Amino acid sequence: MPAPEPGGSRPVSIPIYQTSTFAFTDPAACAAALDDPGGGHAYSRYRNPTTQALEEAVAGLEGGAAAIATSSGMGAINAVLLGLLRPGDHIVAQRCLYGGTVAVFADLAARLQIGVSYISGRDESELRAAIRPESRLLYLETIANPTAAVSDLPALLAAGRGAGLTCVVDNTFATPVLCRPIEHGADIVVHSATKYLGGHDDVTLGIVVTATSDRYPRLWRYAVDLGVTADPFAAWLTIRGLKTLPLRMARHCDNARYLAEHLAEHPAVSAVHWPGLASHPDRQLASRLLAAPGGMLAFDLAGGRPAGMAFVAGLRVAAMAPSLGGAETLVLHPASTSHRQLSPGQLAAAGIAEGTIRVSAGLEHPQDLWADFEQALAGCA
Ligand SMILES: *Cc1c(COP(=O)(O)O)cnc(C)c1O
């Protein structure tokens, strides 16, 4: 936090400390700042006042003790996995995970013999059956991609903790506005702040939040040594995003509802996946666990792959792009883009049809959005 100005005033917006290093008069104070995660500022890869303001804000939002801002969501995930696991350890993870995370798990298995057992995320008996003597970590996502499957955090985290596993939850899709996994027993929460926390498609950043202060020093040291800590300008943009997070989440969820309800009535659409609809298998769980059903939805076009490709090409307001959680509505046809390597069988197992479209509902006027979807649907009938 910046020191007060002469006269006792202070900047209302956190300043950007665009400096890589800090000058000292006392060598002992410099050494202390480098060694101690609670110390002062010496070098911005270790700690920077702007980055620290973001860390304190997100730790507070998630109800955690401390946070580490990283250069991306994958930086956060790698710092946690590499910082906590040793060769021969075992992970239990939910089956439907972010693709980058699955790729890291595959690499850990190949190079460090860290095995992964995948479970559905709905059933704690499946988790109990997957746990081995060498199991160390339970890895879940609050809401999964692209079918908005909700994981039963209270039951799974209780079972994981009971078995002595470190429980990590990727809360990117829910944000602390919709769910605070630490309240349900998570030890560590990770985010791609590139998505909702930043919220404007203009920053790449990640966050690790630890529930208790005892886990923080090891993960902080690991992130510092790995070199994945965030830079101050990216942190500043994310702080700016956080100021409107609750307002944006409310609108994302309202727009998702508007689209989901209209899509469900449309003859070209064979199914809509959004946990606020009565037809979603996780509807009950979502209403217990989430403050609102989220801004991510998916739908299946009856016309399959050609219809999916025609739909995304026909949009004028919404854009086809990877990523999510920003002001603009973004859509993706997973079968031809994000999940293109999967065979038809693997696609089906992930709940993805040839004509599935993933939607990140933005902040536009809902009627403008639906008019755009309607004209694109007309073009793929
Ligand atoms: C995007 C994303 C990530 C990776 O974050 P980056 O900021 O792109 O590195 C991790 N988890 C989830 C759920 C994501 O959506």
XYZ file of all heavy atoms in Angstrom, residues 71-77 97-101 139 141 143 145 170-173 190-195 203-206 323-324 358, ligand 1:
257
model
N 1.846 -15.068 -13.671
C 1.826 -14.496 -15.018
C 0.686 -15.042 -15.881
O 0.384 -14.470 -16.924
C 3.167 -14.774 -15.701
O 3.472 -16.152 -15.566
N 0.046 -16.126 -15.469
C -1.111 -16.674 -16.192
C -1.784 -17.695 -15.284
O -1.226 -18.085 -14.251
C -0.672 -17.361 -17.490
O 0.054 -18.543 -17.184
N -2.960 -18.154 -15.707
C -3.620 -19.230 -14.970
C -2.763 -20.489 -14.961
O -2.635 -21.169 -13.935
N -2.152 -20.802 -16.101
C -1.292 -21.990 -16.153
C -0.077 -21.814 -15.247
O 0.433 -22.795 -14.693
C -0.849 -22.295 -17.593
C -1.947 -22.852 -18.502
S -2.958 -24.163 -17.788
C -1.737 -25.412 -17.446
N 0.416 -20.585 -15.105
C 1.513 -20.328 -14.167
C 1.089 -20.672 -12.749
O 1.856 -21.280 -11.982
N -0.138 -20.300 -12.392
C -0.653 -20.603 -11.051
C -0.758 -22.119 -10.855
O -0.344 -22.668 -9.826
C -2.027 -19.939 -10.862
N -1.307 -22.797 -11.862
C -1.526 -24.248 -11.756
C -0.186 -24.986 -11.673
O 0.002 -25.880 -10.843
C -2.396 -24.727 -12.946
C -3.819 -24.175 -12.772
C -2.395 -26.244 -13.080
C -4.687 -24.249 -14.008
N -11.636 -31.480 -17.321
C -10.810 -30.368 -16.842
C -10.348 -29.502 -17.999
O -10.334 -29.942 -19.141
C -9.556 -30.906 -16.134
C -9.699 -31.560 -14.776
C -8.328 -32.033 -14.310
C -10.308 -30.614 -13.756
N -9.900 -28.297 -17.659
C -9.275 -27.408 -18.633
C -8.153 -28.160 -19.368
O -7.340 -28.849 -18.726
C -8.718 -26.178 -17.906
C -8.092 -25.192 -18.834
C -8.882 -24.463 -19.721
C -6.723 -24.993 -18.864
C -8.312 -23.554 -20.600
C -6.142 -24.083 -19.738
C -6.943 -23.376 -20.607
O -6.377 -22.486 -21.471
N -8.105 -28.020 -20.688
C -7.160 -28.785 -21.509
C -5.704 -28.595 -21.114
O -4.923 -29.549 -21.119
N -5.336 -27.357 -20.749
C -3.949 -27.084 -20.355
C -3.570 -27.857 -19.100
O -2.430 -28.331 -18.964
N -4.514 -28.001 -18.186
C -4.263 -28.736 -16.950
C -4.056 -30.217 -17.250
O -3.148 -30.856 -16.704
C -5.448 -28.544 -15.975
O -5.693 -27.137 -15.847
C -5.166 -29.153 -14.623
N -7.861 -32.642 -7.259
C -7.920 -31.478 -8.136
C -9.300 -31.392 -8.800
O -9.707 -32.310 -9.527
C -6.826 -31.569 -9.206
C -6.625 -30.277 -9.939
C -5.606 -29.400 -9.599
C -7.499 -29.905 -10.976
C -5.443 -28.195 -10.260
C -7.338 -28.706 -11.637
C -6.310 -27.862 -11.275
O -6.157 -26.664 -11.931
N -12.618 -28.643 -10.512
C -13.046 -27.334 -11.019
C -14.487 -27.129 -10.574
O -15.299 -28.048 -10.682
C -12.958 -27.286 -12.553
C -11.527 -27.283 -13.058
C -11.418 -27.234 -14.590
O -12.456 -27.148 -15.287
O -10.279 -27.293 -15.073
N -16.966 -25.299 -11.836
C -17.866 -25.479 -12.980
C -16.972 -25.863 -14.152
O -15.956 -25.209 -14.390
C -18.634 -24.179 -13.325
C -19.405 -23.657 -12.117
C -19.568 -24.408 -14.519
C -20.077 -22.294 -12.342
N -15.926 -27.136 -18.194
C -16.027 -26.753 -19.583
C -16.362 -27.975 -20.438
O -15.762 -29.014 -20.202
C -14.623 -26.239 -19.963
C -14.547 -25.650 -21.319
O -15.513 -25.156 -21.847
N -13.356 -25.719 -21.891
N -9.942 -25.199 -9.034
C -9.874 -24.148 -10.047
C -11.254 -23.487 -10.076
O -12.238 -24.093 -10.497
C -9.504 -24.766 -11.403
C -9.360 -23.725 -12.515
O -10.000 -22.653 -12.432
O -8.619 -23.999 -13.485
N -11.305 -22.230 -9.595
C -12.591 -21.534 -9.441
C -12.805 -20.490 -10.535
O -13.592 -19.555 -10.355
C -12.618 -20.865 -8.049
C -14.013 -20.556 -7.555
O -14.971 -21.276 -7.868
N -14.164 -19.477 -6.791
N -12.117 -20.665 -11.671
C -12.164 -19.667 -12.753
C -13.584 -19.392 -13.232
O -13.974 -18.238 -13.399
C -11.306 -20.162 -13.945
O -9.948 -20.290 -13.514
C -11.375 -19.215 -15.116
N -14.367 -20.452 -13.495
C -15.700 -20.254 -14.096
C -16.700 -19.685 -13.087
O -17.653 -19.034 -13.483
C -16.261 -21.590 -14.631
C -15.796 -21.967 -16.009
C -14.504 -21.686 -16.436
C -16.654 -22.610 -16.897
C -14.069 -22.043 -17.707
C -16.236 -22.970 -18.178
C -14.955 -22.691 -18.582
N -7.217 -21.868 -7.282
C -6.475 -21.233 -8.377
C -7.471 -20.588 -9.340
O -8.637 -20.997 -9.425
C -5.565 -22.229 -9.152
C -4.431 -22.720 -8.278
C -6.363 -23.408 -9.701
N -6.985 -19.566 -10.040
C -7.793 -18.833 -11.015
C -6.994 -18.545 -12.251
O -5.811 -18.194 -12.156
C -8.188 -17.448 -10.472
C -9.394 -17.453 -9.616
N -10.661 -17.471 -10.139
C -9.525 -17.431 -8.273
C -11.528 -17.464 -9.142
N -10.871 -17.448 -7.994
N -7.647 -18.576 -13.395
C -7.176 -17.824 -14.537
C -7.899 -16.486 -14.449
O -9.072 -16.374 -14.830
C -7.517 -18.541 -15.845
O -7.239 -17.656 -16.915
N -7.195 -15.462 -13.951
C -7.793 -14.118 -13.860
C -7.897 -13.470 -15.235
O -8.506 -12.413 -15.383
C -6.966 -13.248 -12.918
N -7.299 -14.127 -16.236
C -7.471 -13.750 -17.634
C -8.961 -13.706 -17.979
O -9.360 -13.005 -18.902
C -6.783 -14.827 -18.513
O -5.468 -15.067 -18.008
C -6.709 -14.414 -19.959
N -9.746 -14.470 -17.262
C -11.170 -14.630 -17.578
C -11.998 -13.626 -16.769
O -11.839 -12.442 -16.943
C -11.583 -16.083 -17.320
C -10.569 -17.128 -17.820
C -10.423 -17.165 -19.336
C -9.240 -17.990 -19.827
N -9.173 -19.358 -19.324
N -5.909 -8.812 -20.357
C -4.808 -9.147 -19.454
C -4.706 -10.668 -19.323
O -5.723 -11.368 -19.373
C -5.006 -8.468 -18.074
C -6.269 -8.958 -17.382
C -3.809 -8.664 -17.169
N -3.479 -11.163 -19.201
C -3.235 -12.579 -18.914
C -2.622 -12.649 -17.521
O -1.565 -12.046 -17.276
C -2.251 -13.166 -19.954
O -2.831 -13.032 -21.253
C -1.991 -14.645 -19.689
N -3.310 -13.329 -16.590
C -2.830 -13.356 -15.198
C -3.483 -14.530 -14.467
O -4.581 -14.951 -14.814
C -3.192 -12.028 -14.511
C -2.600 -11.818 -13.115
C -2.004 -10.416 -12.990
C -3.627 -12.011 -12.015
N -2.795 -15.059 -13.466
C -3.349 -16.133 -12.644
C -3.213 -15.801 -11.168
O -2.475 -14.871 -10.805
N -11.064 -18.394 -24.946
C -11.189 -17.553 -23.745
C -12.653 -17.243 -23.440
O -13.565 -17.624 -24.196
C -10.366 -16.272 -23.834
O -10.167 -15.769 -22.521
N -12.882 -16.595 -22.322
C -14.221 -16.413 -21.773
C -14.150 -15.380 -20.659
O -13.071 -14.968 -20.255
C -14.730 -17.756 -21.205
C -13.841 -18.376 -20.105
C -14.502 -18.302 -18.740
C -13.529 -19.823 -20.426
N -20.105 -23.629 -27.430
C -19.887 -23.078 -26.085
C -20.046 -21.563 -26.142
O -19.551 -20.932 -27.080
C -18.493 -23.423 -25.593
C -18.235 -22.857 -24.204
C -16.811 -23.047 -23.779
N -15.983 -21.920 -24.171
C -14.729 -21.737 -23.742
N -14.178 -22.637 -22.949
N -14.036 -20.693 -24.122
C -8.144 -20.318 -19.181
C -8.156 -21.289 -18.080
C -6.962 -21.697 -17.463
C -5.596 -21.225 -17.939
O -5.442 -19.864 -17.718
P -4.441 -18.923 -18.576
O -4.627 -17.585 -17.947
O -4.889 -19.000 -20.001
O -3.077 -19.478 -18.407
C -7.049 -22.575 -16.402
N -8.238 -23.043 -15.969
C -9.396 -22.680 -16.551
C -10.671 -23.227 -16.024
C -9.402 -21.795 -17.617
O -10.560 -21.444 -18.198
